[in-house]
Amino acid sequence: MTDRLLPLVEPGPELTPAQVSRYSRHLLVPGMGIEAQRRLLNARVAVVGAGGLGSPILAYLAAAGTGHLTIIDDDVIDTTNLQRQVVHRTDAVGQRKVDSAAGYVRGLNPDVSVTVHHTRITPENAQALLAGHDLVLDGADNFPTRYAVSDACAALGLPVVWAAVLRFDAQISAFVPGLEGSVSLRDLFPVPPRPEDVPSCSEAGVLGALVGQVGSIMAGEAVKLICGFGEPLVGRVLLVDALSQRTREVPLRPVGAVVAPPAHEQVRELVPLVEVSAEEVRDELAGTDGPGGPGGPGGPAPVLLDVREPAEHALGTVPGALTVPVGEVLTWEELVGQLPDGPVVVYCKTGPRARRAAAHLVKVGHPDVRVMTGGILAWIERVDPTLPTY
């Protein structure tokens, strides 16, 4: 990259004596100084997601004196968030994340004003939510939101700092329109992956400290872009492996226009699947479902197949279930020796992996496969609340 990095934001008013004291450690950093701090205090930054990545982003941008932060998130705080989403407190469980995060920011730095939007970003509302900002940081946890943010920012000419984290691995980049070598999310992932092919943190887990590390890098990228110094992560993706604590870079180049395939090629082969509720599974296992049902009088009880990962199995299963991760099920080319005879009910945490495994079982010839709607979480909620939720 040969372009000189120009600041995104003009300097704001002169610093007060209190601000000189508060931000003195920034003022001493080569490349920062008083003018850069004035730029930060004059910046308007949108942060998408107030969760794992949003927490360190908001904490460090607020501490740095970013003048205005807009927080966009449609979720509420759950106990399982607290392992990594460090701006939220135990007594805030059940509250909207945007409100909890805004309270944290206001308590950390009175120089920072905050706007919140308790909503999910979609292609329909993204431009309206993001317009008027100098920079966007994408800490979303799903591809539809990421694409909506990327497309809106490309249309608005807004820079985006982006990252994704799962288990021990992370990817980080910056998309800056007009800067040499810059690309967009669609150059990194031209075609959105299917939801069932991309496990979420709630399914695969994530190292809590890693999101802190990555969110801090994102905040650092934001400061450099706002103030106009250093070399941003443009045209390259930083890969972080927390398990070995190694990093590497891969270059990223524009792929050109992505042409959508003809409509008839966009339709995937669909396998019709029968769904069954957690209560119905319970009754079938007890032999109390209605006459003619698979587990009713004269009918065999179903074989339960839990296709979650081993770490999830350790948290609890439906009694008697076989535990085979979905990846292993998808390698089966025939059923001989894999499952006992009889009807099969497949479940995972909420449903996507179970549907994928069930479709494969049908494809390789199983005559009676169903999916337990809502997965183990539905079983815990409506059948056995003694099992831990996650």
Side-chain angles (χ1 to χ4, degrees):
M1 185 181 70
T2 59
D3 284 9
R4 177 177 176 270
L5 182 62
L6 298 176
L8 290 177
V9 181
E10 292 298 316
E14 295 292 336
L15 302 183
T16 67
Q19 288 173 331
V20 170
S21 177
R22 184 180 190 105
Y23 305 114
S24 61
R25 298 305 184 266
H26 261 181
L27 307 185
L28 299 172
V29 175
M32 287 285 295
I34 290 177
E35 183 176 280
Q37 188 62 52
R38 290 168 57 200
R39 295 183 193 277
L40 274 175
L41 285 163
N42 203 34
R44 296 182 59 84
V45 175
V47 179
V48 179
L53 291 173
S55 289
I57 289 170
L58 290 166
Y60 279 103
L61 288 185
T66 307
H68 182 86
L69 294 172
T70 297
I71 308 172
I72 307 169
D73 195 301
D74 69 336
D75 203 2
V76 298
I77 301 167
D78 183 83
T79 303
T80 61
N81 301 146
L82 302 179
Q83 161 258 5
R84 64 202 177 281
Q85 300 181 15
V86 295
V87 300
H88 307 306
R89 300 169 56 90
T90 301
D91 57 9
V93 169
Q95 293 182 18
R96 306 191 314 181
K97 286 185 180 179
V98 290
D99 297 331
S100 171
Y104 179 93
V105 168
R106 294 183 180 110
L108 180 61
N109 192 347
D111 286 343
V112 181
S113 62
V114 186
T115 298
V116 302
H117 296 288
H118 180 65
T119 187
R120 177 177 289 268
I121 285 191
T122 67
E124 292 72 32
N125 66 13
Q127 289 194 38
L129 290 169
L130 300 177
H133 294 89
D134 301 301
L135 175 68
V136 177
L137 286 92
D138 182 1
D141 61 358
N142 65 87
F143 271 93
T145 299
R146 291 170 181 151
Y147 279 102
V149 170
S150 179
D151 292 345
C153 288
L156 295 167
L158 289 178
V160 183
V161 179
W162 169 91
V165 182
L166 190 69
R167 292 178 174 157
F168 297 104
D169 300 300
Q171 304 174 13
I172 315 158
S173 191
F175 312 130
V176 184
L179 199 60
E180 181 183 347
S182 184
V183 295
S184 73
L185 181 64
R186 291 191 180 275
D187 293 291
L188 182 57
F189 298 108
V191 179
R194 297 179 302 175
E196 61 266 32
D197 292 337
V198 184
S200 65
C201 289
S202 66
E203 295 172 335
V206 62
L207 181 66
L210 177 59
V211 296
Q213 178 182 353
V214 173
S216 297
I217 292 173
M218 295 175 73
E221 289 297 298
V223 171
K224 291 191 302 182
L225 289 167
I226 290 168
C227 299
F229 66 88
E231 182 182 352
L233 276 169
V234 171
R236 54 199 175 106
V237 181
L238 177 65
L239 305 178
V240 179
D241 178 353
L243 196 57
S244 64
Q245 205 50 264
R246 290 186 172 91
T247 62
R248 62 189 180 95
E249 287 184 5
V250 294
L252 185 56
R253 297 291 180 262
V255 298
V258 178
V259 179
H264 70 276
E265 294 181 10
Q266 298 180 35
V267 179
R268 294 189 289 117
E269 179 182 358
L270 299 178
V271 177
L273 297 174
V274 178
E275 296 193 342
V276 60
S277 70
E279 294 90 340
E280 289 172 316
V281 173
R282 174 201 61 199
D283 294 343
E284 289 183 23
L285 293 175
T288 59
D289 62 324
V303 175
L304 296 184
L305 180 61
D306 183 334
V307 297
R308 297 175 297 153
E309 296 299 309
E312 295 175 276
H313 297 154
L315 299 176
T317 65
V318 176
L322 299 177
T323 55
V324 185
V326 63
E328 183 176 338
V329 174
L330 296 178
T331 66
W332 294 350
E333 297 182 358
E334 57 181 20
L335 294 170
V336 177
Q338 307 292 1
L339 293 171
D341 294 335
V344 173
V345 173
V346 189
Y347 73 90
C348 59
K349 181 178 181 180
T350 59
R353 287 175 287 176
R355 285 190 288 272
R356 191 176 180 196
H360 183 73
L361 293 179
V362 172
K363 182 178 178 181
V364 296
H366 200 289
D368 189 350
V369 181
R370 291 169 294 157
V371 173
M372 186 167 76
T373 307
I376 190 70
L377 293 187
W379 180 270
I380 293 169
E381 179 183 358
R382 303 200 297 268
V383 177
D384 186 3
T386 65
L387 293 174
T389 190
Y390 68 99

